[in-house]
Amino acid sequence: MGGAALLTLALVLGGCAQRAPSPTEPSPSAPVPATAGERAPATPGSRVVALPPPATPRNWETARLQAAQRLVAANPGLTYTGAAPDVLLAIPVLTIELHADGRIRHIEVMRYPGQARDTVELAKDAVRRAAPFGDVSKLPRPWKFNETFLFNGERKFKPMTLDRR
Protein backbone atom coordinates (compact mmCIF):
# COMPACT_ATOMS: atom_id res chain seq x y z
CA MET A 1 0.00 0.00 0.00
CA GLY A 2 1.14 3.47 -0.74
CA GLY A 3 1.57 6.20 1.85
CA ALA A 4 -1.66 7.98 0.85
CA ALA A 5 -3.66 4.74 1.10
CA LEU A 6 -2.27 4.00 4.57
CA LEU A 7 -3.08 7.52 5.69
CA THR A 8 -6.65 7.22 4.38
CA LEU A 9 -7.09 3.82 6.09
CA ALA A 10 -5.75 5.21 9.36
CA LEU A 11 -8.15 8.18 9.20
CA VAL A 12 -11.15 5.93 8.44
CA LEU A 13 -10.30 3.50 11.24
CA GLY A 14 -9.56 6.35 13.60
CA GLY A 15 -13.00 7.80 12.93
CA CYS A 16 -14.62 4.47 13.86
CA ALA A 17 -12.79 4.10 17.15
CA GLN A 18 -14.57 5.13 20.31
CA ARG A 19 -12.93 7.87 22.28
CA ALA A 20 -12.14 6.86 25.82
CA PRO A 21 -13.74 9.20 28.38
CA SER A 22 -11.34 11.43 30.21
CA PRO A 23 -10.93 10.88 33.96
CA THR A 24 -12.93 14.04 34.66
CA GLU A 25 -15.99 13.17 32.58
CA PRO A 26 -18.42 10.40 33.48
CA SER A 27 -18.72 7.39 31.24
CA PRO A 28 -21.93 7.33 29.20
CA SER A 29 -23.35 4.43 31.23
CA ALA A 30 -22.40 5.80 34.64
CA PRO A 31 -25.11 7.62 36.57
CA VAL A 32 -24.43 11.29 36.97
CA PRO A 33 -24.76 12.34 40.61
CA ALA A 34 -26.90 15.32 41.51
CA THR A 35 -24.91 18.45 42.16
CA ALA A 36 -25.34 20.53 45.26
CA GLY A 37 -28.21 22.55 43.84
CA GLU A 38 -30.06 19.75 42.04
CA ARG A 39 -32.61 17.31 43.29
CA ALA A 40 -31.73 13.65 43.20
CA PRO A 41 -33.80 11.60 40.78
CA ALA A 42 -36.69 9.56 42.07
CA THR A 43 -35.83 6.00 42.96
CA PRO A 44 -38.03 2.90 42.77
CA GLY A 45 -40.80 3.32 45.32
CA SER A 46 -40.51 7.10 45.34
CA ARG A 47 -42.04 9.94 43.41
CA VAL A 48 -40.92 13.51 42.93
CA VAL A 49 -42.74 15.83 45.30
CA ALA A 50 -42.89 19.60 44.93
CA LEU A 51 -42.14 21.01 48.37
CA PRO A 52 -43.10 24.49 49.52
CA PRO A 53 -40.24 26.91 50.10
CA PRO A 54 -38.60 26.25 53.45
CA ALA A 55 -39.03 28.64 56.36
CA THR A 56 -36.04 30.52 57.70
CA PRO A 57 -35.02 28.67 60.89
CA ARG A 58 -34.45 30.70 64.07
CA ASN A 59 -31.88 28.28 65.53
CA TRP A 60 -30.20 24.97 64.76
CA GLU A 61 -32.84 22.97 66.66
CA THR A 62 -35.62 24.27 64.40
CA ALA A 63 -33.35 23.90 61.35
CA ARG A 64 -32.80 20.20 62.13
CA LEU A 65 -36.50 19.62 62.80
CA GLN A 66 -37.50 21.35 59.56
CA ALA A 67 -34.90 19.33 57.64
CA ALA A 68 -36.21 16.06 59.10
CA GLN A 69 -39.79 17.01 58.21
CA ARG A 70 -38.71 17.90 54.67
CA LEU A 71 -36.90 14.55 54.38
CA VAL A 72 -40.17 12.73 55.11
CA ALA A 73 -42.27 15.03 52.89
CA ALA A 74 -39.87 14.79 49.93
CA ASN A 75 -39.58 11.01 50.10
CA PRO A 76 -43.08 9.49 50.33
CA GLY A 77 -42.99 5.74 49.96
CA LEU A 78 -39.40 5.64 51.25
CA THR A 79 -40.11 6.67 54.85
CA TYR A 80 -42.05 5.49 57.86
CA THR A 81 -43.32 7.60 60.73
CA GLY A 82 -44.28 5.08 63.41
CA ALA A 83 -42.03 3.75 66.12
CA ALA A 84 -38.67 2.47 64.96
CA PRO A 85 -38.43 -1.32 65.06
CA ASP A 86 -36.37 -2.95 67.80
CA VAL A 87 -33.99 -4.34 65.19
CA LEU A 88 -32.97 -1.93 62.43
CA LEU A 89 -31.53 -2.92 59.08
CA ALA A 90 -29.03 -0.05 58.96
CA ILE A 91 -28.18 3.23 60.68
CA PRO A 92 -26.14 5.56 58.44
CA VAL A 93 -25.23 8.98 59.85
CA LEU A 94 -24.68 11.94 57.53
CA THR A 95 -23.33 15.43 58.08
CA ILE A 96 -25.06 17.88 55.76
CA GLU A 97 -23.16 21.11 55.13
CA LEU A 98 -25.19 23.99 53.71
CA HIS A 99 -24.66 27.19 51.79
CA ALA A 100 -26.09 30.33 53.44
CA ASP A 101 -29.31 29.99 51.42
CA GLY A 102 -29.91 26.38 52.56
CA ARG A 103 -28.69 24.58 49.45
CA ILE A 104 -26.47 21.57 50.02
CA ARG A 105 -22.77 22.32 49.91
CA HIS A 106 -21.49 18.87 50.89
CA ILE A 107 -22.71 15.59 52.35
CA GLU A 108 -20.26 13.59 54.45
CA VAL A 109 -20.81 10.08 55.76
CA MET A 110 -20.04 10.00 59.47
CA ARG A 111 -21.09 6.39 60.01
CA TYR A 112 -21.36 3.59 57.47
CA PRO A 113 -23.66 0.76 58.54
CA GLY A 114 -22.16 -2.69 58.99
CA GLN A 115 -24.70 -4.18 56.59
CA ALA A 116 -26.97 -2.82 53.85
CA ARG A 117 -24.35 -0.25 52.88
CA ASP A 118 -26.56 0.81 49.96
CA THR A 119 -28.67 2.69 52.51
CA VAL A 120 -25.98 5.39 52.58
CA GLU A 121 -26.76 6.33 48.97
CA LEU A 122 -30.50 6.07 49.69
CA ALA A 123 -30.03 8.55 52.54
CA LYS A 124 -27.89 10.92 50.45
CA ASP A 125 -30.46 10.90 47.64
CA ALA A 126 -33.24 11.57 50.15
CA VAL A 127 -31.34 14.61 51.46
CA ARG A 128 -30.87 15.95 47.92
CA ARG A 129 -34.60 15.57 47.19
CA ALA A 130 -35.49 17.47 50.40
CA ALA A 131 -33.19 20.45 49.75
CA PRO A 132 -33.08 23.39 50.12
CA PHE A 133 -33.39 23.61 53.90
CA GLY A 134 -33.97 27.33 54.47
CA ASP A 135 -31.79 30.40 54.86
CA VAL A 136 -29.22 29.62 57.56
CA SER A 137 -27.12 32.76 57.03
CA LYS A 138 -28.13 34.21 60.42
CA LEU A 139 -27.31 30.99 62.30
CA PRO A 140 -23.89 30.36 63.85
CA ARG A 141 -21.32 28.73 61.63
CA PRO A 142 -20.47 26.12 60.59
CA TRP A 143 -23.70 25.72 58.61
CA LYS A 144 -23.97 21.99 59.04
CA PHE A 145 -25.97 19.43 60.94
CA ASN A 146 -26.02 15.67 61.44
CA GLU A 147 -28.90 13.34 60.69
CA THR A 148 -29.16 9.70 61.63
CA PHE A 149 -31.28 7.53 59.32
CA LEU A 150 -33.12 4.62 60.95
CA PHE A 151 -33.72 2.07 58.16
CA ASN A 152 -36.19 -0.74 58.75
CA GLY A 153 -36.19 -4.13 57.02
CA GLU A 154 -38.12 -2.71 54.04
CA ARG A 155 -35.32 -0.17 53.40
CA LYS A 156 -37.59 2.66 54.49
CA PHE A 157 -36.10 5.29 56.77
CA LYS A 158 -37.07 7.62 59.55
CA PRO A 159 -34.90 10.60 60.49
CA MET A 160 -33.84 10.08 64.11
CA THR A 161 -34.56 13.76 64.78
CA LEU A 162 -38.28 12.93 64.47
CA ASP A 163 -37.86 9.96 66.82
CA ARG A 164 -36.64 12.25 69.62
CA ARG A 165 -39.77 14.43 69.75
Side-chain angles (χ1 to χ4, degrees):
M1 255 186 198
L6 283 175
L7 180 61
T8 303
L9 180 61
L11 289 174
V12 169
L13 291 177
C16 294
Q18 273 192 312
R19 180 179 62 85
S22 75
T24 59
E25 71 182 71
S27 68
S29 61
V32 178
T35 61
E38 295 177 353
R39 288 221 163 163
T43 57
S46 74
R47 63 182 192 272
V48 176
V49 175
L51 297 176
T56 299
R58 296 181 314 257
N59 55 46
W60 276 112
E61 183 179 340
T62 58
R64 286 189 65 210
L65 179 59
Q66 176 174 263
Q69 291 167 339
R70 287 180 70 83
L71 280 165
V72 171
N75 294 284
L78 299 176
T79 59
Y80 64 94
T81 55
D86 291 335
V87 178
L88 292 162
L89 173 67
I91 309 173
V93 179
L94 303 180
T95 296
I96 299 102
E97 183 178 2
L98 304 175
H99 290 282
D101 63 0
R103 289 177 301 120
I104 298 169
R105 180 181 178 102
H106 181 71
I107 301 173
E108 183 178 352
V109 180
M110 299 304 295
R111 179 187 186 278
Y112 281 92
Q115 61 184 20
R117 290 176 70 92
D118 64 302
T119 57
V120 170
E121 285 307 313
L122 294 175
K124 286 179 170 182
D125 287 344
V127 169
R128 290 182 188 111
R129 281 189 291 275
F133 295 103
D135 182 349
V136 295
S137 63
K138 304 270 191 286
L139 298 182
R141 285 186 173 210
W143 295 323
K144 56 173 81 173
F145 64 95
N146 293 339
E147 186 58 73
T148 302
F149 292 77
L150 307 174
F151 278 91
N152 66 14
E154 298 173 8
R155 281 188 163 64
K156 293 184 178 186
F157 72 87
K158 177 180 186 177
M160 190 175 193
T161 298
L162 296 180
D163 215 34
R164 294 180 181 162
R165 292 177 45 180

